[in-house]
Amino acid sequence: MAKDIFRRLINSIIILFSFFLSPESIQGWRPSPHQIANATAPNDIGVSKKYEGSSDFVHLKYHMGPVLTENITVHIIWYGTWQETQKRIIRDFIRSISADIVKSPSVSGWWRTIQLYTDQTGFNISRNVRLGEEKTDRFYSHGKSLSRLLVQSVIKTAILSPTRPLSIDTKGGVYLVLTSDDVYVQDFCENICGFHYFTFPSIVGFTLPFAWVGNSAKLCPGFCAYPFAVSNYMPSRKPLTSPNNDIGVDGMISVIGHEMAEMATNPLANAWYAGEEPAFPVEIADLCEGIYGTGGGGSYTGQMLDGDDGATFNVNGIIGRRFLVQWVWNHIFNYCTGPNALD
């Protein structure tokens, strides 16, 4: 027992130390069109809320539920029509989460904030995140317009497929449903760009943490792929250059990171969140929505990085990949943090 306590203490100290590493060169502030201070969005199945990262009014609590302390395996369902180049970008982001030798600031450095969260026994969220099995549903088995509950049916179809079904992974497995740019999901582009929850045994047969994220390239890039696309009501703003030359997928990366962070810390809606009602949780990524660097908050994304090719990003990944990933709430510092922070 004493050895376990000492190991957990050392693990947390190592994670905390990483926040004091210095970042690269910076880019100026950028306004976000959908960041509205103190405004909320309806939430019935894991919808994100819009909150500024203010330490004065946040009361994040642990509600004693499980978090993902076991090795995390991400199983992907590609729903609709996807190019292989698009799949590679997303795979590389997931593989970057646990990558050790990556130029700072890194995706793994961003994940260290999430690792600070523990379960009731003091075990930290796992640093080991790996890519699991994949399933492509290129025939749109449930149509091109999905309700949130139908997203669970997409998972059921994948795990019960007569050919190469996805494994039913109840120990550290999470399921990522990614819809192509010609698929509409309930409330997409109106209030949400993605959500996470857990499957209902009455629909899927098992309780499995899952997230959905949509490609907004055709439907609402100015909302879900900002700052790589800008809405018409902001004619004075110019879109930034996306780091992987795909506005829709580069916009998805930040949403995937948002939902991954919340699945890890609140997989069954009874662990880490602010507020008293688990059906309307304010989670660790909700608290920092739209913040990508120092100075972020309100209508500003914060200071980001510029590549030599003019692309905007804030973290590095494997094989030279670069990504723009939203910051998350650090419950020890009681503020939004990220590996590209200036202070």
Side-chain angles (χ1 to χ4, degrees), residues 190-208:
E190 299 168 22
N191 296 314
I192 61 172
C193 303
F195 66 79
H196 81 95
Y197 209 57
F198 54 87
T199 60
F200 301 152
S202 59
I203 296 176
V204 179
F206 302 88
T207 299
L208 305 168

Side-chain angles (χ1 to χ4, degrees), residues 7 11 15 67-75 93-100 107-117 123-132 169 171-174 260 263-264:
R7 180 182 61 79
N11 187 35
I15 295 168
V67 300
L68 300 184
T69 58
E70 301 285 344
N71 292 342
I72 300 168
T73 304
V74 183
H75 304 286
F93 172 70
I94 293 170
R95 289 177 175 134
S96 296
I97 293 174
S98 295
D100 289 322
V107 177
S108 58
W110 166 82
W111 188 258
R112 288 190 190 106
T113 301
I114 297 138
Q115 286 178 252
L116 289 170
Y117 290 85
F123 278 98
N124 295 83
I125 285 174
S126 176
R127 71 171 300 274
N128 297 314
V129 180
R130 72 179 189 91
L131 189 64
D169 187 352
K171 192 172 184 179
V174 298
M260 285 282 295
M263 277 197 292

Side-chain angles (χ1 to χ4, degrees), residues 250-294:
D250 276 316
M252 291 179 73
I253 291 296
S254 186
V255 185
I256 291 171
H258 179 122
E259 303 304 337
M260 285 282 295
E262 294 181 345
M263 277 197 292
T265 55
N266 193 32
L268 302 181
N270 60 358
W272 289 94
Y273 63 88
E276 300 302 323
E277 178 51 60
F280 298 90
V282 182
E283 298 168 286
I284 71 166
D286 296 330
L287 292 164
C288 305
E289 188 164 357
I291 298 175
Y292 297 89
T294 300

Side-chain angles (χ1 to χ4, degrees), residues 9-22 109 112-113 116 330 332-333 339:
L9 177 61
I10 292 299
N11 187 35
S12 293
I13 291 172
I14 291 171
I15 295 168
L16 272 171
F17 179 76
S18 68
F19 293 118
F20 296 96
L21 298 177
S22 59
R112 288 190 190 106
T113 301
L116 289 170
N330 184 316
I332 295 176
F333 291 166

Side-chain angles (χ1 to χ4, degrees), residues 19-21 23 293-295 327 333 335-338 340-343:
F19 293 118
F20 296 96
L21 298 177
T294 300
W327 284 11
F333 291 166
Y335 212 75
C336 300
T337 57
N340 60 312
L342 300 180
D343 47 0

Side-chain angles (χ1 to χ4, degrees), residues 155-216:
I155 298 172
K156 178 181 180 180
T157 297
I159 65 176
L160 295 182
S161 173
T163 58
R164 300 182 65 184
L166 283 186
S167 296
I168 299 167
D169 187 352
T170 59
K171 192 172 184 179
V174 298
Y175 293 78
L176 196 56
V177 180
L178 305 178
T179 52
S180 56
D181 59 12
D182 55 349
V183 176
Y184 174 78
V185 174
Q186 181 183 353
D187 292 329
F188 188 27
C189 299
E190 299 168 22
N191 296 314
I192 61 172
C193 303
F195 66 79
H196 81 95
Y197 209 57
F198 54 87
T199 60
F200 301 152
S202 59
I203 296 176
V204 179
F206 302 88
T207 299
L208 305 168
F210 79 94
W212 159 77
V213 179
N215 187 331
S216 67

